[in-house]
């Protein structure tokens, strides 16, 4: 299988914090790759580097073999790199429908855009909220709206940053099914999540970050039982306990 | 949870259309209602500032990129018109295009420099440009007569040269422009750039990561806004017949333009016009009552603060949107009326 996305020796620091420290890994075409790690390990920073929201200090991002490190944020989106934000970013003031419609009309006629927006919202179970202003949407639905918006851009690879945080077990099952459906439709997924149940259900491979460095990678079983990984998560726990 | 039904939309839409039509008819009949040229001149000022507010709103309202240099575009339009007329006898109907061209280039340059960066950088650049423009106009004495300003002398009534004995003609020209500008604004709202601008206003990162070329859209909006402003500047200058940097290229004027939109309702179709409708007569009244032109500015500042603190959406937000007090009040009154009638007005 060919890599659709490749991170090569990526670096990003904020002041003295090495948020992402020489990280390299590949995302294979068609897979759901899980990116996990304790809080502050650099997962979201990776997503921001891949989508261009942050400028990398060093290293490269290859999309389908070509470097996109100099491509603009919008350019990367148009090439097929889609993402959601860890904290949802609704277009306040616009209706739920219009926020999807706005994005959909970029590459379609108004009529087509309107049609596809309706369809996507239906798939996301948001039809009943269409006319609601999106800032009034219940918190857990906002992630779905973000997802709907990015899906109408027809991404080739989708970076999902904790779309399941704060959902109840039922909703998590629904979302797992949804992500699987998205993947089946031919979209490669980079899946960042703390909800391990979902990670294990969905991902065929995991990459673990810790303190901005790549800790390990491999199939979920091996990774989850890796003493280094357990230590990374537990270590955090101990630290927290000590600080409390 | 709640599914809003479209049915109550229809009568209110009809109402809106009716009110709008009545208002347009009123505007067209306005000069006929009074024989006083002074009243008509207030009408001209209203149309001018409504046009300027609508233009400013395209970048300052829809995209929330606050510009402080719209007076400079007025000045470019005004000075271009006067200079081309005085030196070459060129009709303002032609020089309007020269002015808009120069303004477009200026906006393109300011925008290209400043839109790449976020935050207040754009606003700061516009302030710098406005100052450069004002000082330049003051010191190019050969061309602009500096602080003395430029005058157009009335020769004879002429539509081509925008010279009229009465202000009615200016009023109608600017009224037609206002209608045209509202139409442009309306079309923009319903088209791609309008949607993109509203997304950019809320969250540039989100908009951009969904493929919107924010830099380009903002640039487009700024240039359009500058062009529209400059065209008003040319026409308005011929109404004034006298221009100088202190009045036409000042921070004062820039503030006034923005205030129209903000007080009326920034980022809405009718906001700037409603703002001008409220502010122009008010400041005229303040000038008459308090006797100085400074009182008008005080009024602007005060209203601006009130709006920003108490009602971000401006005057129009009192009538539209959720939680608007006026429809809620009407609904209450209507509800009471129905109760009294015994509720037989079901259908
Ligand atoms: N914009 C920023 N400015 C300063 N520091 C930042 C910024 N973004 C991230 N960081 C820092 O970089 C490190 C990695 O953060 P990041 O958000 O990538 O972690 P994460 O793995 O996504 O964590 P979480 O699971 O909590 O979302 C943290 O120490 C964080 O404080
Ligand atoms: Mg994160």
């Amino acid at each position: 299988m060919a890599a659709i996305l490749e991170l090569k020796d990526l670096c990003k620091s904020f002041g003295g914090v090495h948020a992402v420290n020489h990280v390299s890994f590949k995302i294979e075409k068609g897979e759901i790759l899980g990116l996990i790690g304790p809080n502050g390990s650099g997962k979201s920073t990776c997503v921001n580097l891949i989508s261009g929201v942050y400028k990398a200090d060093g290293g490269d991002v290859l999309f389908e073999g070509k470097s996109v490190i100099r491509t603009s944020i919008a350019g990367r989106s148009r090439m097929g790199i889609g993402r959601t934000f860890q904290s949802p970013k609704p277009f306040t003031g616009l209706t739920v429908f219009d926020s999807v419609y706005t994005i959909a009309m970029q590459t379609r006629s108004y009529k087509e855009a309107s049609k596809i927006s309706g369809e996507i919202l239906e798939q996301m179970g948001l039809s009943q909220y269409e006319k609601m202003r999106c800032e009034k949407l219940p918190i857990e639905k906002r992630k779905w709206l973000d997802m709907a918006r990015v899906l109408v851009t027809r991404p080739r690879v989708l970076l999902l940053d904790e779309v399941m945080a704060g959902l109840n077990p039922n909703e998590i099952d629904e979302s797992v099914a949804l992500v699987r459906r998205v993947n089946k439709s031919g979209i490669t997924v980079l899946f960042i999540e703390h909800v391990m149940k979902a990670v294990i259900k969905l991902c065929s491979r995991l990459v673990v970050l810790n303190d901005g460095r790549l800790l390990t990678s491999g199939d979920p079983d091996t990774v989850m039982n890796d003493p280094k990984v357990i230590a990374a998560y537990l270590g955090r726990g101990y630290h927290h306990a000590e600080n409390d | 949870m709640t599914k809003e039904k479209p049915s109550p939309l229809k009568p209110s839409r009809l109402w809106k259309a009716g009110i709008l039509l009545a208002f347009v008819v009123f505007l067209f009949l306005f000069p006929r209602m009074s024989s006083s040229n002074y009243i008509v001149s207030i009408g001209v000022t209203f149309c001018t500032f409504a046009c300027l507010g609508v233009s400013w709103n395209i970048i300052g309202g829809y995209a929330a990129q606050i510009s402080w240099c719209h007076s400079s575009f007025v000045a470019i339009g005004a000075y271009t018109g006067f200079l081309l007329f005085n030196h070459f006898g060129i009709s303002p109907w032609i020089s309007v295009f020269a002015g808009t061209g120069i303004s477009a280039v200026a906006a393109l340059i300011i925008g290209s420099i400043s839109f790449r960066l976020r935050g207040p950088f754009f606003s700061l650049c516009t302030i710098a440009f406005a100052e450069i423009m004002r000082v330049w106009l003051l010191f190019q004495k050969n061309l602009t007569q500096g602080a003395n300003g430029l005058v157009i002398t009335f020769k004879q009534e002429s539509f081509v040269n925008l010279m009229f004995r009465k202000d009615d003609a200016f009023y109608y020209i600017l009224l037609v422009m206002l209608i045209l500008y509202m139409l442009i604004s309306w079309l923009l709202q319903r088209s791609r750039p309008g949607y993109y601008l509203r997304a950019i206003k809320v969250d540039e990162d989100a908009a951009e990561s969904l493929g919107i070329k924010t830099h380009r859209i903002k640039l487009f909006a700024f240039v359009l806004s500058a062009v529209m402003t400059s065209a008003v500047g040319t026409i308005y200058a011929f109404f004034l017949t006298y221009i100088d940097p202190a009045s036409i290229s000042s921070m004062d004027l820039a503030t006034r333009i923005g205030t129209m939109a903000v007080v009326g309702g920034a980022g809405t179709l009718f906001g700037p016009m409603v703002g001008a409708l409220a502010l122009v007569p008010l400041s005229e009244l303040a000038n008459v009552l308090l006797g100085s032109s400074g009182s008008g500015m005080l009024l602007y500042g005060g209203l601006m603060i009130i709006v920003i603190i108490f009602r971000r959406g401006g005057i129009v937000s009192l009538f539209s949107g959720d939680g608007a007090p006026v429809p809620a009040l009407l609904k209450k009154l209507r509800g009471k009326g129905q109760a009294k009638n015994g509720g037989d007005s079901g259908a």
Side-chain angles (χ1 to χ4, degrees), chain B residues 193-315:
Chain B
Y195 278 94
Y196 300 160
L197 284 171
R198 274 170 281 172
I200 291 169
K201 174 183 188 164
V202 182
D203 199 316
E204 277 197 65
D205 272 338
E208 209 163 351
S209 69
L210 290 163
I212 295 173
K213 293 175 179 164
T214 57
H215 175 75
R216 198 179 290 182
I217 301 292
K218 282 190 287 183
L219 205 56
F220 164 77
F222 188 41
V223 170
L224 177 64
S225 175
V227 161
M228 287 164 68
T229 304
S230 177
V232 180
T234 308
I235 310 289
Y236 186 52
F238 275 76
F239 162 75
L240 294 173
T241 68
Y242 167 74
I243 54 172
D244 69 337
S247 64
I248 207 103
S249 188
S250 61
M251 210 39 98
D252 250 38
L253 180 62
T255 314
R256 280 224 273 170
I257 295 171
T259 313
M260 299 293 154
V262 172
V263 168
T268 64
L269 180 59
F270 290 103
M273 193 181 72
V274 170
L277 198 61
L279 284 170
V280 169
L282 256 179
S283 68
E284 209 60 47
L285 204 66
N287 286 346
V288 170
L289 291 179
L290 302 169
S292 82
S293 52
S295 57
M297 272 321 279
L298 200 69
L299 188 84
Y300 283 100
L303 276 174
M304 183 91 124
I305 290 168
I306 290 174
V307 165
I308 287 171
I309 294 176
F310 294 108
R311 195 109 200 151
R312 280 288 172 92
I315 297 172

Side-chain angles (χ1 to χ4, degrees), chain A residues 2-66:
Chain A
I4 188 162
L5 204 59
E6 185 175 355
L7 283 66
K8 267 186 160 172
D9 209 27
L10 266 186
C11 292
K12 177 74 185 176
S13 37
F14 300 99
V17 182
H18 295 284
V20 168
N21 204 350
H22 299 282
V23 167
S24 306
F25 63 86
K26 287 180 184 178
I27 307 173
E28 307 288 345
K29 207 167 266 176
E31 76 173 334
I32 303 181
L33 176 66
L35 181 58
I36 62 170
N39 288 116
S41 56
K43 305 179 297 292
S44 298
T45 306
C46 277
V47 171
N48 284 323
L49 290 171
I50 298 170
S51 62
V53 172
Y54 292 164
K55 294 255 171 302
D57 296 337
D60 206 349
V61 176
L62 305 184
F63 179 65
E64 303 201 306
K66 278 187 238 91

Side-chain angles (χ1 to χ4, degrees), chain B residues 18-343:
Chain B
I19 291 171
L20 190 65
L21 195 73
F23 183 61
V24 171
V25 170
F26 166 78
L27 283 179
F28 270 99
L29 294 178
F30 177 72
R32 302 269 170 276
M33 291 173 189
S34 161
S35 55
S36 151
N37 203 44
Y38 171 65
I39 296 289
V40 177
S41 80
I42 295 178
V44 173
T45 311
F46 159 73
C47 289
T48 304
F49 277 91
C51 281
L52 293 174
V54 170
S55 310
W56 184 90
N57 190 42
I58 287 175
I59 185 73
Y62 289 127
Q65 304 286 323
I66 307 301
S67 156
W68 297 97
C69 69
H70 269 56
S71 55
S72 310
F73 300 132
V74 174
I76 291 175
Y79 273 92
T80 309
F82 270 32
L83 289 171
L84 289 181
F85 183 76
N86 281 345
H87 291 287
F88 308 104
I90 293 173
S91 155
W93 293 112
I94 292 165
S95 58
V96 125
F97 293 101
T100 54
I102 298 171
S103 292
V105 172
L108 210 57
I109 293 170
I110 304 166
S112 318
I113 296 170
S114 60
F115 281 141
R116 288 199 188 283
L117 296 164
R118 303 269 172 89
F121 199 71
F122 169 72
S123 290
L124 292 175
C125 275
T126 62
I127 292 174
F129 175 70
E131 270 311 285
I132 291 170
M133 188 73 205
R134 194 179 62 83
V135 171
W136 187 81
L137 286 173
L138 276 175
F139 284 91
Q140 285 297 314
K141 291 217 170 67
N142 292 335
L143 200 63
T144 65
Q145 308 292 324
N148 291 334
L150 290 176
V151 183
I152 290 259
T153 38
F154 184 89
K155 288 188 193 105
Q156 68 196 65
E157 190 111 350
S158 150
F159 181 75
V160 173
N161 292 333
L162 280 182
M163 288 184 177
F164 307 105
R165 248 173 258 287
K166 285 178 71 187
D167 288 341
D168 295 36
F170 278 110
Y171 176 82
Y172 283 115
I173 289 168
L174 282 159
L175 181 58
V176 170
M177 268 177 100
L178 175 58
I179 292 170
L180 185 72
Y181 279 23
M182 294 290 289
L183 214 63
I184 292 174
S185 199
W186 180 72
L187 284 174
L188 183 76
Q189 240 187 28
R190 301 168 45 95
S191 61
R192 288 191 174 83
Y195 278 94
Y196 300 160
L197 284 171
R198 274 170 281 172
I200 291 169
K201 174 183 188 164
V202 182
D203 199 316
E204 277 197 65
D205 272 338
E208 209 163 351
S209 69
L210 290 163
I212 295 173
K213 293 175 179 164
T214 57
H215 175 75
R216 198 179 290 182
I217 301 292
K218 282 190 287 183
L219 205 56
F220 164 77
F222 188 41
V223 170
L224 177 64
S225 175
V227 161
M228 287 164 68
T229 304
S230 177
V232 180
T234 308
I235 310 289
Y236 186 52
F238 275 76
F239 162 75
L240 294 173
T241 68
Y242 167 74
I243 54 172
D244 69 337
S247 64
I248 207 103
S249 188
S250 61
M251 210 39 98
D252 250 38
L253 180 62
T255 314
R256 280 224 273 170
I257 295 171
T259 313
M260 299 293 154
V262 172
V263 168
T268 64
L269 180 59
F270 290 103
M273 193 181 72
V274 170
L277 198 61
L279 284 170
V280 169
L282 256 179
S283 68
E284 209 60 47
L285 204 66
N287 286 346
V288 170
L289 291 179
L290 302 169
S292 82
S293 52
S295 57
M297 272 321 279
L298 200 69
L299 188 84
Y300 283 100
L303 276 174
M304 183 91 124
I305 290 168
I306 290 174
V307 165
I308 287 171
I309 294 176
F310 294 108
R311 195 109 200 151
R312 280 288 172 92
I315 297 172
V316 291
S317 75
L318 296 174
F319 299 91
S320 66
D322 326 285
V326 174
L329 199 71
L330 286 178
K331 215 181 260 172
K332 235 185 214 171
L333 290 174
R334 210 180 291 157
K336 269 183 194 157
Q338 271 176 5
K340 270 181 199 160
N341 292 342

Side-chain angles (χ1 to χ4, degrees), chain A residues 73-74 77-78 85 89-90 92 101-102 105-106 108-110 128-129 133 136 149-150, chain B residues 1-2 4 191-192 195-196 198-199 202-203 205-213 322:
Chain A
I73 308 175
S77 158
R78 280 157 187 253
F85 287 85
K89 289 178 174 284
T92 308
Y101 182 51
T102 301
M105 65 173 63
Q106 291 184 94
R108 300 174 179 87
S109 69
Y110 292 111
Q128 64 191 112
Y129 303 104
R133 301 256 226 116
K136 298 216 164 143
R149 274 189 330 200
V150 67
Chain B
M1 282 186 286
T2 50
E4 274 131 305
S191 61
R192 288 191 174 83
Y195 278 94
Y196 300 160
R198 274 170 281 172
V202 182
D203 199 316
D205 272 338
E208 209 163 351
S209 69
L210 290 163
I212 295 173
K213 293 175 179 164
D322 326 285

